[in-house]
C-alpha cells in the first residue's frame, strides 16, 4: 500500500526565514512519482512539482527547492526567504505505477508572519 | 480555459436529503476522480473512473455513488446525507490513470450537512 506522512501539522515562521516541509513516503513499487501541491487560503490546489523515482536530482525553482532521497524515502520541500504569500497548506502526494491512484499526505499548514 | 468545473460551489443540506455534485472537464481526459478534504486529513479518494464506463472505489466510498455520464462528466451522489459528509469535495481529471502527470483539480464544492 502507498502511504505519505507529513509529520508537521502546522509551522509558523517569521518572514524571510527559511522553512523545510518534510515528506516521507512508503511504496513497494520500483517506479513511482512524487508531487507537491499548494493550497492557498482561497482553496484551490496548485501543482508545484513532480519527481520521478528514477531521478534523484534535486531541483530549485526560485525560492523553492526540493530534496529527493530514495535512501530515506523522503521528498522534502524548502522555501528560502519565506514571504507572507507562501502561507498555505502544502500537500505531498505519491502515485505508484500503473493505475494506482494518487495518495496524499495530511498536509502541513504554513503560516508566514510579517 | 475552463479545465475542471464543479457545481455547485457551496451547498447546505439537511440530514437525509439527497444531492448530486457535478463535475465536467473539457481537456478530453480519460480518468476522473472525486476526493473529499477534511481538516487535518488531507485529500482522500472517494471514487474514481479510469475510463468512460468504469468506476472504482477509493479509500472512503461509503455513503456515495458515482456516475461517469460520458467522457466529460463524472457526478457524485449522496443518497441520504449525513453530518459526517460535511466536507470540501474536489473533482480531478488526468489524461490516463497510469499517467505520471499531475492531476487537474476543480475549485471544490463546500458542502455542509446540518
Amino acid at each position: 500500500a502507498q502511504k505519505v506522512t507529513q509529520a508537521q501539522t502546522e509551522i509558523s515562521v517569521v518572514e524571510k526565514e527559511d522553512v523545510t516541509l518534510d515528506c516521507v513516503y512508503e511504496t513497494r513499487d520500483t517506479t513511482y512519482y512524487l508531487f507537491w501541491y499548494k493550497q492557498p487560503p482561497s482553496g484551490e490546489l496548485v501543482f508545484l512539482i513532480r519527481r520521478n523515482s528514477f531521478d534523484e536530482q534535486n531541483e530549485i525553482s526560485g525560492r523553492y527547492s526540493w530534496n529527493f532521497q530514495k535512501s530515506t524515502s523522503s521528498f522534502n520541500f524548502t522555501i528560502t526567504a519565506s514571504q507572507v504569500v507562501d502561507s498555505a497548506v502544502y500537500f505531498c502526494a505519491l502515485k505508484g505505477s500503473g493505475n494506482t491512484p494518487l495518495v496524499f499526505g495530511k498536509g502541513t499548514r504554513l503560516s508566514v508572519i510579517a | 480555459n475552463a479545465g475542471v468545473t464543479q457545481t455547485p460551489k457551496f451547498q447546505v443540506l439537511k440530514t437525509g436529503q439527497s444531492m448530486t455534485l457535478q463535475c465536467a472537464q473539457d481537456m478530453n481526459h480519460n480518468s476522473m476522480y472525486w476526493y473529499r478534504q477534511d481538516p487535518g486529513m488531507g485529500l482522500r479518494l472517494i471514487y474514481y473512473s479510469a475510463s468512460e464506463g468504469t468506476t472504482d472505489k477509493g479509500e472512503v466510498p461509503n455513503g456515495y455513488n458515482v456516475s461517469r455520464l460520458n467522457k466529460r462528466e463524472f457526478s457524485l451522489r449522496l443518497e441520504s446525507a449525513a453530518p459526517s459528509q460535511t466536507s470540501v469535495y474536489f473533482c480531478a481529471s488526468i489524461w490516463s490513470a497510469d499517467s505520471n502527470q499531475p492531476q487537474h483539480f476543480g475549485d471544490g464544492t463546500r458542502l455542509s450537512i446540518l
Side-chain angles (χ1 to χ4, degrees), chain A residues 51-90:
Chain A
R51 176 59 79 217
N52 303 327
S53 57
F54 44 86
D55 180 4
E56 285 195 73
Q57 278 193 341
N58 292 329
E59 182 155 341
I60 298 174
S61 176
R63 297 184 296 107
Y64 295 172
S65 62
W66 290 269
N67 182 3
F68 176 36
Q69 292 195 336
K70 288 179 74 171
S71 61
T72 56
S73 297
S74 65
F75 186 41
N76 296 337
F77 173 28
T78 297
I79 301 174
T80 302
S82 60
Q83 299 177 2
V84 172
V85 293
D86 296 327
S87 296
V89 180
Y90 291 87

Side-chain angles (χ1 to χ4, degrees), chain A residues 33 35 37 39 43-45 47 50 52 91 95 98-99 101-102 104-106, chain B residues 35 37 40-43 45 48 50 90 97-103 105 107:
Chain A
Y33 309 93
F35 302 82
Y37 284 86
Q39 186 177 44
E44 73 275 21
L45 286 157
F47 165 71
R50 179 199 70 205
N52 303 327
F91 292 100
K95 187 189 180 315
N99 287 354
L102 192 63
F104 283 83
K106 294 184 178 181
Chain B
Y35 298 88
Q37 181 182 12
M41 296 298 294
L43 276 78
L45 183 64
Y48 66 103
F90 286 96
D98 62 358
S99 171
N100 62 7
Q101 297 302 308
Q103 293 182 3
F105 284 85
D107 289 338

Side-chain angles (χ1 to χ4, degrees), chain B residues 25 27 30 80 90 107:
Chain B
Q25 51 90 10
M27 296 171 283
N30 290 296
S80 179
F90 286 96
D107 289 338

Side-chain angles (χ1 to χ4, degrees), chain B residues 80-100:
Chain B
S80 179
S84 61
Q85 294 177 304
T86 292
S87 189
V88 180
Y89 292 85
F90 286 96
C91 177
S93 71
I94 195 169
W95 168 249
S96 172
D98 62 358
S99 171
N100 62 7

